[in-house]
Amino acid sequence: MTGASRGFGRIAAEKILRDHPEIHLVVTARGSGQQLVGDLARATANANVSAVSCDLASMRSIRSAAAELRKGLRSGALPPLCGFVGNAGLQMTSRTHASGDGIETTFAVNVLANYLLVRLLWEEFTAPARIVIVGSDTHFGDLRHNMGMVPAPRWESAPTLARPRDDAAARTAAEGRTAYSTSKLAVIYMVHALARRLPQGVDVHTFNPGYVPGTGLVRDASPFVRFLSRTLLHALTATPLALSPAAAGALLARAATGPRPGGSGTYIDRRAVDDSSPESYDRDREDELWHTAAALCGLPVELGHVG
């Protein structure tokens, strides 16, 4: 599981450990992750948790983490791999930032990191297995789904989305939020592409928690936006417009470990499977994104032995 250190991801991790003591949870973390492991074990009275060091903005680090996981799985030090939760994500205040690999940071973490981890580990999954990648209803791009707080996604060619920019428009917070909503549209395309390629018995889903104020997603925003998220917008959790971190975490845990929500490739909107946006069903974009991700990660287009 990625993104288990804070927000509703932390709550989901704790719920998985409490409700499923038979599952060994491996969390990714910067550094050793031992403090996170200790905190999770104490909070849940379950020591069936470990960590692997991984910086999701670095392909080298992701490859190292995947190699460590494969070693543990193949030696028997870890039980068979039955699932993956890709919860980590970020929203930047511009589109100018680049990962260590030269990839626009939002695209690198929200899209490529999940792609690369799944590609490097897909042979290790033991059916029935479930992959859940966190999306966002900001990909709809309308007032109903984002309350006007996040601009609509703006799809460009996948190679263009992967490139950081340094023009005046790219240095605005609006462009950073557009990169976020577009990355969440890309997540759905990636899930659809994976669903067509993963072996029988290995399902993949997008999970949309809806608006969840009070998480670390806006940690790169201005002090005013962070204050607004903690105060006024937090009050929305008392309405159908938003979920508290506790409620979102419980639903993410259910999506990952509960009854099979539906066929592979489905979009889980909070509590139930639903349609994602009409724009998110575009086979040409799915294929272009898949080919671009493979090229950026130095992998063959089709699934095959990579580790």
Side-chain angles (χ1 to χ4, degrees):
M1 179 178 183
T2 70
S5 63
R6 58 164 64 93
F8 67 84
R10 174 65 170 267
I11 292 165
E14 291 182 0
K15 185 164 182 60
I16 290 170
L17 287 167
R18 286 195 184 99
D19 295 352
H20 298 276
E22 76 283 2
I23 292 178
H24 184 98
L25 181 65
V26 181
V27 295
T28 64
R30 292 187 179 182
S32 69
Q34 291 312 301
Q35 180 175 341
L36 175 59
V37 166
D39 290 347
L40 288 170
R42 285 188 291 272
T44 62
N46 183 355
N48 213 14
V49 55
S50 59
V52 58
S53 178
C54 187
D55 178 357
L56 295 172
S58 165
M59 291 189 199
R60 180 177 181 180
S61 181
I62 292 171
R63 289 180 181 278
S64 177
E68 183 178 341
L69 287 167
R70 286 196 302 267
K71 181 179 178 181
L73 291 163
R74 294 174 184 180
S75 69
L78 292 174
L81 184 61
C82 65
F84 169 76
V85 179
N87 174 62
L90 51 78
Q91 179 176 294
M92 309 297 288
T93 54
S94 76
R95 194 173 157 181
T96 62
H97 300 278
S99 71
D101 304 290
I103 309 298
E104 193 279 317
T105 304
T106 309
F107 188 87
V109 173
N110 294 4
V111 184
L112 278 189
N114 289 304
Y115 169 86
L116 185 55
L117 276 167
V118 173
R119 283 295 307 266
L120 295 176
L121 294 173
W122 77 272
E123 293 176 288
E124 311 301 329
F125 286 100
T126 299
R130 188 179 305 169
I131 297 165
V132 176
I133 300 176
V134 174
S136 168
D137 51 10
T138 60
H139 85 274
F140 280 90
D142 57 21
L143 186 63
R144 173 191 166 197
H145 290 91
N146 63 24
M147 296 180 284
M149 293 187 293
V150 180
R154 186 179 65 246
W155 192 259
E156 302 169 81
S157 71
T160 299
L161 293 172
R163 287 195 298 269
R165 289 169 31 196
D166 195 29
D167 56 279
R171 292 191 289 272
T172 65
E175 194 67 13
R177 292 193 293 270
T178 300
Y180 174 79
S181 62
T182 305
S183 77
K184 292 304 184 177
L185 178 59
V187 162
I188 300 176
Y189 291 146
M190 181 180 62
V191 165
H192 292 167
L194 276 167
R196 294 197 299 271
R197 291 170 170 86
L198 289 169
Q200 187 73 24
V202 181
D203 292 345
V204 60
H205 306 278
T206 306
F207 169 74
N208 167 44
Y211 180 57
V212 187
T215 70
L217 183 64
V218 295
R219 59 186 177 272
D220 192 47
S222 68
F224 174 74
V225 171
R226 295 198 302 271
F227 172 77
L228 194 64
S229 179
R230 292 193 307 268
T231 55
L232 179 61
L233 295 178
H234 183 74
L236 293 175
T237 59
T239 76
L241 296 175
L243 288 180
S244 67
L251 290 176
L252 176 56
R254 183 176 185 272
T257 60
R260 187 172 187 246
S264 188
T266 54
Y267 180 78
I268 306 169
D269 184 8
R270 300 166 178 84
R271 298 172 178 82
V273 169
D274 202 351
D275 291 332
S276 50
S277 70
E279 186 181 8
S280 69
Y281 299 93
D282 188 317
R283 180 67 176 265
D284 290 338
R285 290 182 182 179
E286 293 167 12
D287 289 343
E288 184 203 31
L289 177 64
W290 183 267
H291 281 73
T292 299
L296 291 171
C297 296
L299 294 175
V301 170
E302 296 307 326
L303 296 183
H305 181 70
V306 294

